[in-house]
Amino acid sequence: MMEENEIAACLRRSLNRYFKDLDGEAPSEIYSMVVSVVEKPLLTYILDRAEGTQPRAADMLGINRNPLRKKMREHGLSD
């Protein structure tokens, strides 16, 4: 079995807490919830590391510039 990296372990702990906090309530839209809370800080961090250079940030993320720009707009990170 492959060892879990730190990010995956953090996500697992957060999901365990989330399910515990539900206290029996039915979960819903977990995928959307996780993506929405992870994507903006990820983009912000990578853009900072790339010193605001979108092509470099896109390369670091492994996506094209157009999807990066779209995600930036969705999260209010563009001009």
Side-chain angles (χ1 to χ4, degrees):
M1 186 172 170
M2 190 173 188
E3 188 173 320
E4 198 170 57
N5 69 35
E6 186 178 342
I7 295 170
C10 180
L11 176 60
R12 182 179 300 281
R13 285 190 304 273
S14 293
L15 286 170
N16 282 336
R17 194 172 329 125
Y18 171 76
F19 275 91
K20 182 181 176 202
D21 290 346
L22 282 177
D23 197 32
E25 293 291 320
S28 65
E29 299 185 27
I30 295 170
Y31 180 82
S32 296
M33 176 191 67
V34 170
V35 169
S36 70
V37 299
V38 170
E39 194 169 55
K40 184 175 181 178
L42 172 64
L43 294 173
T44 302
Y45 183 85
I46 296 300
L47 284 162
D48 184 55
R49 295 287 296 200
E51 298 173 343
T53 307
Q54 292 179 15
R56 187 168 164 215
D59 285 344
M60 291 172 75
L61 291 164
I63 62 176
N64 292 321
R65 285 186 304 187
N66 287 338
L68 173 60
R69 288 182 184 132
K70 180 181 178 194
K71 290 177 181 299
M72 289 173 63
R73 279 192 305 274
E74 289 171 0
H75 293 288
L77 299 173
S78 57
D79 300 334

